Amino acid sequence: MKNTVKKFPEALGELLEISDISTANIIAIHEHFGVNNINECSTIVNSGQLADLKGFNAIKVENIRRALKLAKENHFQLWEALLAGEEMLRAVKQFPEVEKAALTGSLRRKKDTVGDIDMLLQVKSSLRKHLVYKLTRLPVVSRVIAEGRDRVSLLLKNHMQVDIRLTDQKRYAAALLYYTGPVWYNKWLENQAREKGFLFSATGLSDLKSGKNIAVEAEEDIYGQLKMAYRDPELREDEESIITAAKYSLSSLPTFGEIKGDMQVHSNWGDGEESIEHIAHYVLHVFPHYQYIVITDHASNEKTTGALHPENFSRQHQEIDRLNNQLGFNFIKRGIEVDILEDGSLSLTDEQLAQFDWVIASIHSRFSHDNTSRLVKACQNPYVHCIGHPSGRLIGKRIPSPVNWNEVFEQAATTGTAMEINARPNRLDLNDRLVKAAIKKGVKLVIDTDAHTLPHFDFMQLGVWVARRAACNKHDILNTGTWEVIEQFKKNKIKLLKKDN
Ligand SMILES: [Zn+2]
């Protein structure tokens, strides 16, 4: 194609995200039938109308049908699936027949989107039938898809599917490991086991020669028998994460408890719902280990609702000072989220940015364009400390901007600019794959919730999972450090930029 800049209607996000259907085909279907999303597209495909379109032969139509089905199967956001899965888990644990229960599959690996909820239950053989009967009659169930001795598949009223496996005490540890998957990891484990004289399967670990079963209580025991270090479920996704993980002592994967503050928070001075006072008191009560929060309202030189006008900067700062005085320490930091404009310049001047402790620069327009140069230019601004939601993706709605990430991460590393892991359930941006690429270049990351209401602060854990899946070390995450560490990071940026000139 002559045109090197990719451009497409933003509404087509979820369709364009399907890698097995070409952009040209999506555009053709969209233009001919006016479809904008997976459901509409499926209807056209299933009705047989697609075959009428020029260039769409039977094989192509079948491939598209299959790709759509797969995309449909993988479209629940981790957060909503986790809430439904944990609710189900709590309900199931109430049954006296259930001795142990856990979520497995991609939900346990904390993948950003999941197709269904997988669950493993430990139950005495003699009580299985009884339990299956109860499971199929839970009030959240809308339909029983399949039921057998070891497995029950249910469709919930929220349209999610739950696959429940039943096992006994002897097989539970192996089953937990096996059903956490993914498939390639089980194959890899089976090979590792075989090389060491064992047979590993969903039903247990046994001696390859004698066939004798080896008693194991927990996943850790299986790794122990195989003389391997335990691998967290988040690190079982691909071969690369195993290699990366091997470099670190596993205890250094970041944890929620190590996060010292939230660095993107919106108040009612901008488009957030709560006053800074409410936010500060809430966070101090709910997350007593946090040492700081950064209020980062949107700013605009135009008088628009939902954004802070520069004439109000000093009033907001006075309010922050008043509250910090009341609290007795500088818990609340002055931050701002500034727009990266189309030419890569910012929506505020350097003099305006200099008034803040922490500046996040984000793209809020033209997501479908190659945004490499905008991001690079923002990194070069001495007042910009972090790039917010760098890829701009909205899961299932908007695909990541086409960006040369090598170039952006190199620029972030040489200018000492951090990249955000935005922990909102529909963003998770950067995602695990891009975080992995960023830390390879030495880029520091900040995990933020981008909170606009009080319950949003809980999203922090989602961002921590992204970092863990990327095999981050806690030192890759800037906000595992104290505010002194962050001040140091800012000073370092100025030093790096001076050296460059
Ligand atoms: Zn933003």
Side-chain angles (χ1 to χ4, degrees):
M1 275 208 299
K2 201 173 74 205
N3 201 346
T4 49
V5 179
K6 292 182 211 163
K7 199 175 178 313
F8 33 71
E10 268 170 32
L12 292 181
E14 69 173 35
L15 282 169
L16 291 164
E17 215 169 338
I18 305 171
S19 53
D20 291 335
I21 312 179
S22 75
T23 304
N25 283 340
I26 295 287
I27 300 285
I29 299 169
H30 162 74
E31 282 174 353
H32 196 268
F33 297 102
V35 301
N36 288 312
N37 57 44
I38 292 175
N39 273 336
E40 289 170 6
C41 196
S42 296
T43 310
I44 293 295
V45 174
N46 293 333
S47 71
Q49 292 178 70
L50 201 52
D52 302 339
L53 199 60
K54 209 175 141 232
F56 285 76
N57 60 24
I59 298 171
K60 191 185 253 184
V61 172
E62 175 54 22
N63 285 340
I64 290 174
R65 195 193 59 78
R66 216 177 296 152
L68 284 169
K69 187 169 171 271
L70 203 74
K72 255 184 161 173
E73 283 168 4
N74 238 326
H75 76 293
F76 291 110
Q77 289 169 17
L78 176 61
W79 185 251
E80 55 176 336
L82 209 58
L83 292 183
E86 275 172 358
E87 189 188 329
M88 180 89 180
L89 200 63
R90 267 194 303 277
V92 162
K93 279 179 172 170
Q94 305 303 314
F95 295 143
E97 295 87 350
V98 175
E99 297 168 338
K100 251 186 208 175
L103 297 174
T104 57
S106 47
L107 208 48
R108 184 160 180 246
R109 301 197 309 276
K110 306 298 190 299
K111 206 163 163 284
D112 49 12
T113 56
V114 304
D116 59 13
I117 298 168
D118 292 305
M119 197 180 284
L120 178 71
L121 305 182
Q122 178 182 314
V123 53
K124 284 194 183 68
S125 268
S126 58
L127 299 173
R128 267 194 205 188
K129 238 174 112 180
H130 195 142
L131 179 66
V132 168
Y133 184 85
K134 278 178 159 177
L135 290 171
T136 57
R137 279 154 187 83
L138 278 167
V140 285
V141 173
S142 85
R143 187 161 66 84
V144 179
I145 297 166
E147 62 176 287
R149 252 191 73 75
D150 321 317
R151 189 175 175 180
V152 188
S153 282
L154 307 166
L155 190 70
L156 302 186
K157 284 181 179 147
N158 63 12
H159 306 293
M160 287 187 202
Q161 186 176 324
V162 187
D163 285 329
I164 305 175
R165 309 255 177 188
L166 304 166
T167 190
D168 56 23
Q169 191 260 329
K170 233 172 73 188
R171 297 178 177 88
Y172 184 82
L176 180 63
L177 184 51
Y178 191 90
Y179 291 120
T180 297
V183 174
W184 89 267
Y185 187 74
N186 289 336
K187 293 218 172 89
W188 181 81
L189 264 184
E190 280 162 25
N191 287 335
Q192 295 286 314
R194 206 177 293 273
E195 274 170 28
K196 287 160 185 164
F198 296 98
L199 199 65
F200 168 69
S201 74
T203 56
L205 188 70
S206 57
D207 188 280
L208 196 57
K209 273 195 208 127
S210 67
K212 229 183 96 198
N213 193 60
I214 292 153
V216 283
E217 285 282 323
E219 275 183 327
E220 284 86 343
D221 300 337
I222 299 173
Y223 286 99
Q225 288 286 343
L226 302 180
K227 305 262 182 301
M228 287 161 57
Y230 176 76
R231 311 223 183 260
D232 291 283
E234 295 95 316
L235 289 179
R236 300 175 194 174
E237 209 58 53
D238 52 33
E239 227 140 342
E240 202 195 343
S241 54
I242 287 193
I243 298 160
T244 326
K247 281 196 294 197
Y248 297 116
S249 79
L250 287 164
S251 58
S252 65
L253 279 183
T255 61
F256 171 66
E258 286 166 343
I259 299 293
K260 294 206 165 59
D262 201 329
M263 298 175 68
Q264 186 178 167
V265 176
H266 295 261
S267 77
N268 61 3
W269 288 74
D271 64 349
E273 279 181 16
E274 298 287 340
S275 66
I276 300 175
E277 181 163 15
H278 275 164
I279 292 169
H281 286 286
Y282 178 83
V283 174
L284 273 171
H285 275 281
V286 180
F287 307 103
H289 68 287
Y290 279 11
Q291 299 177 3
Y292 48 83
I293 50 168
V294 190
I295 301 296
T296 54
D297 286 308
H298 295 279
S300 175
N301 277 306
E302 282 147 51
K303 291 206 168 160
T304 49
T305 48
L308 188 63
H309 191 270
E311 70 183 23
N312 289 325
F313 286 172
S314 66
R315 271 205 316 128
Q316 192 195 48
H317 294 166
Q318 280 164 20
E319 169 67 357
I320 289 175
D321 291 345
R322 182 186 75 83
L323 292 166
N324 280 336
N325 263 332
Q326 213 178 62
L327 294 169
F329 73 113
N330 284 341
F331 180 60
I332 312 161
K333 309 292 178 188
R334 308 161 167 190
I336 200 83
E337 186 183 9
V338 63
D339 293 336
I340 303 174
L341 304 177
E342 293 187 9
D343 62 354
S345 64
L346 303 174
S347 59
L348 294 179
T349 64
D350 286 358
E351 293 68 40
Q352 287 170 331
L353 295 178
Q355 302 169 40
F356 294 91
D357 298 319
W358 187 252
V359 174
I360 302 171
S362 312
I363 289 179
H364 291 114
S365 61
R366 283 163 62 104
F367 296 100
S368 57
H369 287 64
D370 182 339
N371 283 322
T372 309
S373 61
R374 291 169 86 185
L375 295 173
V376 163
K377 211 167 156 195
C379 286
Q380 289 163 348
N381 184 304
Y383 298 99
V384 169
H385 304 118
C386 181
I387 303 291
H389 45 75
S391 85
R393 77 155 172 176
L394 292 176
I395 294 175
K397 282 220 176 77
R398 189 165 71 210
I399 58 168
S401 294
V403 164
N404 180 341
W405 291 109
N406 261 336
E407 203 181 323
V408 170
F409 293 155
E410 238 151 59
Q411 196 59 218
T414 49
T415 57
T417 312
M419 288 279 149
E420 186 180 59
I421 299 176
N422 189 299
R424 294 191 70 124
N426 63 342
R427 286 194 184 269
L428 300 180
D429 180 10
L430 299 174
N431 68 13
D432 46 6
R433 198 177 46 79
L434 290 176
V435 171
K436 222 180 274 180
I439 57 174
K440 262 194 205 145
K441 300 258 182 210
V443 177
K444 294 278 182 206
L445 294 134
V446 178
I447 308 176
D448 291 329
T449 67
D450 197 352
H452 284 65
T453 70
L454 300 180
H456 286 172
F457 286 99
D458 286 329
F459 299 150
M460 185 59 81
Q461 178 67 71
L462 280 174
V464 173
W465 282 325
V466 172
R468 292 172 65 88
R469 281 172 59 84
C472 282
N473 184 294
K474 98 173 216 199
H475 301 293
D476 295 323
I477 311 298
L478 199 56
N479 53 332
T480 61
T482 60
W483 192 259
E484 285 69 45
V485 171
I486 286 152
E487 286 294 343
Q488 204 51 53
F489 177 82
K490 288 161 57 184
K491 273 193 203 129
N492 190 46
K493 169 153 193 172
I494 302 297
K495 226 166 56 193
L496 285 170
L497 287 180
K498 272 197 187 131
K499 211 165 63 188
D500 227 32
N501 286 325

